[in-house]
Each structure stands twice: as structure tokens, then as C-alpha cells.
Amino acid sequence: MMRGINRHGADAAGLGLHTVLVPILAACGALTAAFSPPATAALLVLLLLGLCGWSSRRLAGLVRQSESERRLLDEQLLQSQKLAAVGELSSGIAHEINNPLAIVSQEAELVRTLLENRGGLSPELAESLHEIAVQVDRGRDITRRLLDFSRKMKPVAQFEALDKIIEDMVVLVEKEAGLKEARVARRYDRNLPLVLIDVPLLRQAVINLLTNALDAIPHGGTITVATGSAGPGKVCISVADNGPGVAAEDLPRIFNPFFTTKPPGKGTGLGLSICHNIVERMGGKILVKSEPGQGAVFTVVLPVKGESA
Amino acid sequence: MKVLIIDDERDFIETMEKRFRFRKIPVTAALSGAAALEILSREEFDVAILDVRMPGMDGLDTLKEIKKRYPLMEVIMLTGHGSIESGTRGMSLGAYDYVLKPVDFSELLDKVEKAGERKRLNAARRT
């Protein structure tokens, strides 16, 4: 289900089979062949060849798997560090921008008052001033989302059932999905333990993923939401869509702030980066698997006992 | 735990007040966003129940103001089937949870209690 996480590819028992048992068998086989008639010896040698070939292929596979797991972890670490740095930067910028926005707002109000005192505003002036207010609000919206993104506040933890947290958000999105005649399929694992996490924070992350999926799917498309165990002490949530998928060159940037594949004006490009930030703060990981034409699957892995005060 | 209900429908508020009082939970009512902010400037509350569709200062604007001025207070949104997008926006704006109208009171009560718990945990940590 997930790429390379928690797979015990090279545990001691498996290696022992290849590094101890196979050579011993090979040696025994060779000795037996030495003292056997030619036909039997030939057969034994062929068998041994097969055995060694199989063993080598397995070992090579294990090495390759372990390498790709390590590379994946390295990429994730780099990504997290980059985003943490961007978080610091955006918080400072957002605070800075809020100041001039507040001033623009006040001055516009002042203009309105002055004009009203001088005998009223023409409709064009009123509309202009209104437009200024609207745009200032937009600016504030963006800075607020930036500040959300970089907020360092540590999460508060409460006990809740994972599928309940998600289902509540799915219900909200499902109604919007109806407009596109799209459906949402659920695959909840009912045997999961209660999670101890910051519930509304997780809800925010989930709703971001769901609205993203909803935007991605075509008319009549499907979103599939699933929960499951991700190894001892970990659970996972996945949101899959059958939309156009993500291009390979976009995949590494998909959690970057302001990165969006939507046309200008549609969406701030902060949804997934906020998700990433939230999940990291909860001590979890978020991964994406996608190929153009094959839709996308976002997987969130969380500790059952999340980080709290 | 102190609860503030913000809704423009008097009948709804009266029903809610009765049911909360029956469970010994003190509840105050505000008929608009502006009235709510006025009350909040004088008194502290733990949880607010907020209708997202109200005339005048609408639910989402009220939510934004509340989260800005009283970030520790938790807000539960009341969404009707026609205001689903507000529900989604509200969650991104920091609401704790939402409840669909018509309201299932035991569901609302459960969420209010969880919201109250979170407020207490947060407040305790800040000191």
C-alpha cells in the first residue's frame, strides 16, 4: 500500500537463509556430487546452480529495496527541512504584509468618511472603495493561511475514532461531490484503536485532501477514502482519486507552498502544504503516489499516540 | 463549561437552551454575530455553537472574528444542507467540528463536550 514504509525486507532470519543455509546446502550437494555417478552428479550440479541463482536474485532484490527505502527517507527528510525553512520565512512575511494591509484598509475608510462629509459619494467612488476593501480582505485571507501554515503551536491531543473523524469530513465533501455526480467510497478498518491526536487539526488536513481530490476528479469520478493499520503503533489514512494524476516533474513540489496546477485565481496553492505541515506537527508523514492518467493516492501515516504537550 | 449559542432563530435557541439547562450546562444566547461579539467582550465562554447562515454579519465572518480575538474558544458550526461549502470553509477557518441541521442533540452535546475538553487542555498548557 505505501511505498517502502515499514517493510521488513532484510531481517535476520531471511538473511540467514541466504548467507548460511544456501552455502551449506551447496557444499553438501557438491560433496555428494563428487562421490556419485556422473549422471546423478550432473543433476545435483544443475540443482545447486538453480539454488544459488535463486538465492543471489533474492539477495539482489533485498539490497535494491533497502536502497530505495533509504532514498525515500532521505527525500522526505529533505522535503521536511525545506518546508520548515519556508514556514519560518512565510510567517515573517505574513506578519509584515498584514501591517500595510491594515493601513490601506484604514485609509480607504478615511477616504469614504471624508467624501461622505463633503456631500456623498458617487456610485463609481463607492464601488471603487468597496473593491479596495474586498481586495484587502483577499490579502488578509492569504496572510492568514500563510500564518496557519507556519504556526508553531504544538497540537493538543484527544482520543477519537479515526474513521469517525474522517467520515464527518467525508459527509461534508460528499454533498459537494453530488453536484458533479461523483461518489465517495469508504474502506474503513473498524478494528483500529482510538487515536490520541489533535482532532480538529487532523480534520483540517483531511478536508484539504478531500477537496483536492474533489477538484481533481472529472464528472462522475470517484474518491476512495480508506483507513488501516500501518504497523505497530501507527495508522494510516488514504485518499485516492481517479483524476488526471500528477506529472512526474511536479511530484516533488506538490507539497510546496503556493505550488498549484490550477489556473490563476483558483485556489491559493496552500492546501497541500498546510496538510503537510499539520501531519508533520502531529508526528506523522504524508506521501503521494501518482502517475499521469492514473489518478493520485495521498497517504497519511500517523502515530496512534500523537505528539502532545 | 460555558456555552454560547449564536443563531438568529429564536425557536431553535429556546429549544437548545432548555436542553442544555436540563443537563446543567449554562448557556447564553446571541441572536447575531455582532451580539455575540458584544457578549464575548464582557464574558468568557469555552465553546460557541454558531449557525453559519445568518443575516447581517454572517457565520463565517463571525467565526473569523472569534478565532482572531478569542483563539482558545472552540466553535462548533451548525450547517444546513444548503450551506455545505460554508461547513468546509469553516473547518479550514479553525472550527472544531460541525453539526448538520436539523440537529441531533446528543451528537451536538458530545461534540460540545469534546470541544470543551480541548479548550481546557489548551488553556491549561498556556499557563
Side-chain angles (χ1 to χ4, degrees):
Chain A
M1 195 203 329
M2 294 156 287
R3 291 193 297 173
I5 301 292
N6 283 336
R7 259 196 273 158
H8 306 296
D11 58 319
L15 280 179
L17 174 71
H18 295 285
T19 58
V20 174
L21 194 57
V22 168
I24 290 179
L25 283 176
C28 294
L31 276 174
T32 318
F35 295 102
S36 306
T40 324
L43 197 64
L44 267 173
V45 167
L46 280 171
L47 267 171
L48 287 178
L49 198 63
L51 182 68
C52 293
W54 168 80
S55 171
S56 306
R57 288 232 317 275
R58 288 281 299 180
L59 278 174
L62 288 173
V63 169
R64 252 178 282 141
Q65 188 181 307
S66 148
E67 270 304 297
S68 71
E69 277 178 24
R70 195 182 52 78
R71 241 179 301 132
L72 183 67
L73 285 171
D74 274 349
E75 271 167 31
Q76 284 175 352
L77 185 62
L78 191 62
Q79 179 77 322
S80 300
Q81 288 170 342
K82 267 174 25 193
L83 286 174
V86 174
E88 294 283 349
L89 195 65
S90 32
S91 163
I93 291 176
H95 277 300
E96 294 279 337
I97 292 181
N98 273 340
N99 291 337
L101 281 179
I103 294 174
V104 169
S105 200
Q106 280 158 24
E107 294 293 327
E109 261 313 297
L110 187 58
V111 169
R112 170 189 292 275
T113 315
L114 287 172
L115 287 172
E116 272 167 357
N117 288 347
R118 273 174 220 196
L121 293 87
S122 70
E124 293 108 342
L125 278 173
E127 203 189 307
S128 252
L129 285 173
H130 175 72
E131 187 62 22
I132 292 177
V134 164
Q135 296 302 325
V136 166
D137 259 340
R138 256 188 80 195
R140 283 240 183 84
D141 223 13
I142 295 178
T143 53
R144 188 186 36 82
R145 293 199 84 183
L146 270 178
L147 286 170
D148 274 347
F149 164 77
S150 60
R151 202 171 42 186
K152 287 294 197 44
M153 215 171 67
K154 274 176 89 182
V156 176
Q158 287 177 286
F159 277 107
E160 188 57 275
L162 192 65
D163 53 3
K164 183 164 188 301
I165 297 173
I166 296 167
E167 179 63 16
D168 280 348
M169 298 298 104
V170 169
V171 165
L172 271 183
V173 170
E174 203 166 28
K175 313 244 175 204
E176 281 186 64
L179 299 170
K180 269 175 131 164
E181 290 183 280
R183 46 176 233 107
V184 183
R186 294 112 157 119
R187 307 239 164 88
Y188 298 142
D189 179 342
R190 304 286 180 188
N191 295 324
L192 293 178
L194 291 182
V195 286
L196 179 66
I197 45 151
D198 189 319
V199 175
L201 216 51
L202 179 58
R203 287 205 187 104
Q204 275 193 52
V206 168
I207 208 152
N208 267 328
L209 289 176
L210 289 171
T211 45
N212 237 45
L214 187 61
D215 286 338
I217 56 175
H219 202 90
T222 311
I223 300 175
T224 309
V225 180
T227 60
S229 168
K234 295 206 174 123
V235 289
C236 67
I237 304 164
S238 69
V239 176
D241 67 78
N242 62 348
V246 185
E249 64 265 18
D250 288 338
L251 267 182
R253 295 186 287 160
I254 204 165
F255 294 117
N256 286 5
F258 298 116
F259 177 80
T260 179
T261 52
K262 294 184 184 146
K266 281 206 124 244
T268 53
L270 287 171
L272 281 179
S273 60
I274 289 176
C275 254
H276 186 283
N277 187 246
I278 289 174
V279 169
E280 292 272 311
R281 276 195 282 149
M282 292 195 291
K285 287 260 170 327
I286 180 166
L287 311 159
V288 58
K289 189 167 143 81
S290 175
E291 266 165 75
Q294 309 269 12
V297 184
F298 285 84
T299 308
V300 174
V301 179
L302 292 169
V304 172
K305 292 266 167 76
E307 310 213 340
S308 60
Chain B
M1 173 169 66
K2 287 174 67 185
V3 176
L4 175 68
I5 301 187
I6 311 166
D7 194 321
D8 62 318
E9 286 178 40
R10 282 179 199 276
D11 293 338
F12 176 76
I13 287 198
E14 272 173 32
T15 321
M16 288 292 120
E17 279 181 319
K18 263 188 243 155
R19 303 192 74 167
F20 273 104
R21 272 204 212 102
F22 183 68
R23 294 213 176 29
K24 308 276 198 295
I25 297 176
V27 70
T28 307
L31 287 165
S32 70
L37 289 173
E38 207 273 319
I39 294 174
L40 284 170
S41 67
R42 291 184 274 113
E43 236 183 298
E44 194 193 319
F45 287 84
D46 302 300
V47 179
I49 299 171
L50 170 64
D51 187 345
V52 293
R53 274 258 206 95
M54 288 188 293
M57 186 183 193
D58 93 342
L60 286 182
D61 287 334
T62 312
L63 174 60
K64 275 194 224 173
E65 279 304 305
I66 290 178
K67 279 294 166 183
K68 198 165 73 178
R69 300 184 201 186
Y70 315 102
L72 284 185
M73 195 168 95
E74 299 291 347
V75 179
I76 294 182
M77 294 181 295
L78 293 176
T79 52
H81 292 266
S83 50
I84 287 304
E85 203 190 306
S86 314
T88 324
R89 285 259 308 160
M91 292 310 303
S92 316
L93 285 169
Y96 181 83
D97 202 348
Y98 75 95
V99 171
L100 284 174
K101 274 182 159 176
V103 171
D104 173 334
F105 186 76
S106 55
E107 190 191 333
L108 176 62
L109 184 62
D110 181 53
K111 293 181 187 225
V112 165
E113 278 168 354
K114 291 208 174 107
E117 180 190 47
R118 184 168 196 263
K119 194 258 175 182
R120 270 194 312 278
L121 287 171
N122 237 333
R125 190 211 277 139
R126 259 78 159 342
T127 51

